[in-house]
Amino acid sequence: MSITIKTAPEIERMREAGRLASEVLAFLTAHIQPGITTLDIDRLGAECMARQGTKSATVGYQPPGYPPYPGHLCTSVNHVVCHGIPNDKPLKKGDILNVDVTVITHDGWYGDNSRMYIIGEGTIAGKRLCQLTSDAMWKGIAQVKPGATLGDIGHAIQTFAEGHNLSVVREYCGHGIGQKFHEDPQVLHYGRPGTGMKLQEGMVFTIEPMLNLGKRDVKEQGRDGWTIVTKDRSLSAQWELMLAVTPTGYDILTWSDGSPPPPAFISGIRT
Ligand code: MF3
Ligand code: CO
Ligand code: CO
């Protein structure tokens, strides 16, 4: 597969897809409280997409070698790294939850993003991991401009994470996106500066680091074909945004009124 460079009008279609994907996460925020189940969250997300006139990109999604994914979104709790399948177990105080929403607009553009939610007050360790994982994502985003490389992004994330004694999951990465869910390039969350593909204006991709409190190793949980957990059962967090490369930097496309503000070291959502 090759990289698709998006035109300015295409990027505006993707901004609409991104805003809608972000609005699903914003809508869910008030509902994510102790006692709710991830299946409840799935149903609320599906209803929100129906009101928007978008479709879930995940329900029935079946890459080669996988069973069809059953959820309208992914819900990954505590030591679940990614692709958690919504279930009927109530969330409890102190849990950390990633909700990953990908929508398809009426005209076929994808918007993909995820956030962490802390259930109840949260624990010191859980809150720290969620905050540092968001900061790590933004350290990667801050590298994005024409002429920078994919390795610059990965290196910034890895250096920040490992500097705080967190490990970077290697098996899953960010990705190009457009009128397909997963396009080239693969955006690794580790790497060496100056290596890998050079970024160009009009590229659109996600940055979605998964960081663990313990070791980086992951495995499939059970036999559902999807759920990925940390081998050592340590907590794992993930954040995801979708962005376009501009002439001078980046433009965050998965943005809406309810988006958590970027950290203090970031000057804006468009540079
Ligand atoms: N949204 C995820 C990503 O960021 C992919 C989920 S695929 C699913 O790439 F099938 F697990 F939903
Ligand atoms: Co993604
Ligand atoms: Co996603």
Side-chain angles (χ1 to χ4, degrees):
M1 209 199 288
S2 60
I3 298 195
T4 61
I5 297 296
K6 277 76 179 180
T7 64
E10 287 173 339
I11 287 171
E12 292 316 306
R13 302 323 300 159
M14 293 202 72
R15 191 190 310 283
E16 171 79 356
R19 180 179 59 79
L20 291 162
S22 171
E23 283 178 350
V24 177
L25 294 178
F27 166 73
L28 292 172
T29 305
H31 295 276
I32 300 182
Q33 299 289 341
I36 194 171
T37 72
T38 51
L39 258 181
D40 294 330
I41 294 168
D42 186 79
R43 177 182 47 79
L44 289 165
E47 289 168 0
C48 184
M49 292 179 222
R51 287 192 297 273
Q52 290 178 334
T54 61
K55 284 194 181 132
S56 163
T58 60
V59 71
Y61 180 60
Q62 186 173 20
Y66 284 77
Y69 186 80
H72 298 85
L73 42 74
C74 300
T75 52
S76 302
V77 182
N78 293 340
H79 67 294
V80 179
V81 173
C82 63
H83 304 164
I85 295 175
N87 65 34
D88 60 6
K89 187 176 167 204
L91 295 171
K92 57 183 196 308
K93 287 179 189 166
D95 286 343
I96 62 170
L97 167 70
N98 175 275
V99 181
D100 192 335
V101 165
T102 312
V103 302
I104 315 172
T105 59
H106 64 95
D107 50 358
W109 293 95
Y110 285 69
D112 184 9
N113 67 164
S114 81
R115 294 184 195 168
M116 294 305 296
Y117 299 83
I118 291 163
I119 312 306
E121 260 175 49
T123 65
I124 301 277
K127 287 190 285 191
R128 172 176 173 270
L129 176 64
C130 293
Q131 179 63 53
L132 289 172
T133 305
S134 171
D135 289 349
M137 173 185 69
W138 283 103
K139 289 284 178 185
I141 291 170
Q143 296 297 315
V144 174
K145 62 177 183 190
T149 69
L150 288 174
D152 294 337
I153 298 173
H155 180 75
I157 294 168
Q158 182 180 12
T159 313
F160 180 82
E162 293 177 355
H164 288 88
N165 247 326
L166 303 173
S167 63
V168 178
V169 172
R170 306 283 179 115
E171 286 81 357
Y172 302 91
C173 57
H175 50 93
I177 182 167
Q179 289 181 294
K180 293 199 187 111
F181 196 165
H182 293 110
E183 299 182 352
D184 281 341
Q186 293 194 37
V187 182
L188 303 184
H189 304 118
Y190 59 93
R192 284 182 294 120
T195 64
M197 180 185 299
K198 272 203 165 90
L199 306 183
Q200 300 177 46
E201 182 185 351
M203 286 174 62
V204 175
F205 55 86
T206 70
I207 298 181
E208 49 181 299
M210 284 142 272
L211 303 190
N212 302 342
L213 271 187
K215 296 204 168 76
R216 74 175 200 228
D217 308 76
V218 302
K219 62 175 186 186
E220 280 187 45
Q221 178 187 66
R223 299 143 294 280
D224 66 29
W226 282 103
T227 309
I228 303 298
V229 296
T230 54
K231 258 193 195 161
D232 64 7
R233 298 184 62 86
S234 66
L235 286 183
S236 187
Q238 179 178 28
W239 290 79
E240 176 177 27
L241 288 175
M242 180 177 89
L243 56 79
V245 182
T246 67
T248 47
Y250 59 81
D251 187 357
I252 305 294
L253 300 180
T254 40
W255 204 259
S256 66
D257 288 343
S259 291
F265 61 81
I266 291 291
S267 53
I269 62 163
R270 176 155 205 207
T271 63

